[in-house]
Amino acid sequence: MKEEQLLNYLKANCAGRRNIQTRAQLQRRLGLSKDQLTNLVHRMRCKGLPIAGGSGGYFYAENAGELHATIRWLEKMVRTLLKSISGLSKAMESYGPMEQNGERRGDGADEFLPSGGKE
């Protein structure tokens, strides 16, 4: 239901880059938390819906160029995350060997997953 509500809102009010709305604006207007909005957009994009955006917020793409710009922005985010992972992997070497199950005690990784530790 929330996906349909977001989709309808974006189509009616945020068609094209010129009508981009910030995440905060969308959260207020639709009564969503930051995580709810992010997860909805992710699921909708995975279904092939043209939800475009960037650091300024989200909008309903009107053309392939708008989607291409969003794809480039997402790819840049992925490259940045991969650099962070690489740096953290290097830092992890100073902590010694891993436990047998492949994890260190108290690594805290689960607390960063949006679903509260469930993938």
Side-chain angles (χ1 to χ4, degrees):
M1 182 64 179
K2 289 282 187 183
E3 279 184 33
E4 188 177 330
Q5 181 185 10
L6 177 57
L7 180 62
N8 291 337
Y9 183 85
L10 291 173
K11 281 182 175 182
N13 301 287
C14 307
R17 179 174 293 285
R18 70 190 171 284
N19 294 309
I20 194 170
Q21 287 196 14
T22 67
R23 287 166 185 80
Q25 288 172 318
L26 291 169
Q27 285 172 234
R28 278 193 307 275
R29 286 184 174 90
L30 300 171
L32 299 170
S33 71
K34 180 181 175 184
D35 286 344
Q36 287 174 318
L37 179 60
T38 300
N39 289 334
L40 284 171
V41 169
H42 172 71
R43 285 198 309 264
M44 293 166 72
R45 286 173 170 171
C46 288
K47 290 179 180 178
L49 294 169
I51 310 304
S55 60
Y58 298 114
F59 61 96
Y60 190 86
E62 290 187 311
N63 57 59
E66 291 176 341
L67 288 177
H68 185 67
T70 300
I71 291 167
R72 285 194 324 264
W73 179 73
L74 291 170
E75 288 172 340
K76 182 179 177 186
M77 284 179 42
V78 168
R79 286 191 301 274
T80 300
L81 289 170
L82 288 172
K83 287 178 184 178
S84 290
I85 290 168
S86 177
L88 290 172
S89 294
K90 289 176 188 171
M92 194 170 57
E93 293 170 8
S94 68
Y95 288 94
M98 300 288 282
E99 299 283 329
Q100 281 187 340
N101 64 1
E103 296 181 7
R104 297 178 194 281
R105 287 192 188 142
D107 69 353
D110 289 349
E111 64 194 59
F112 293 105
L113 293 175
S115 60
K118 299 175 187 123
E119 290 190 68

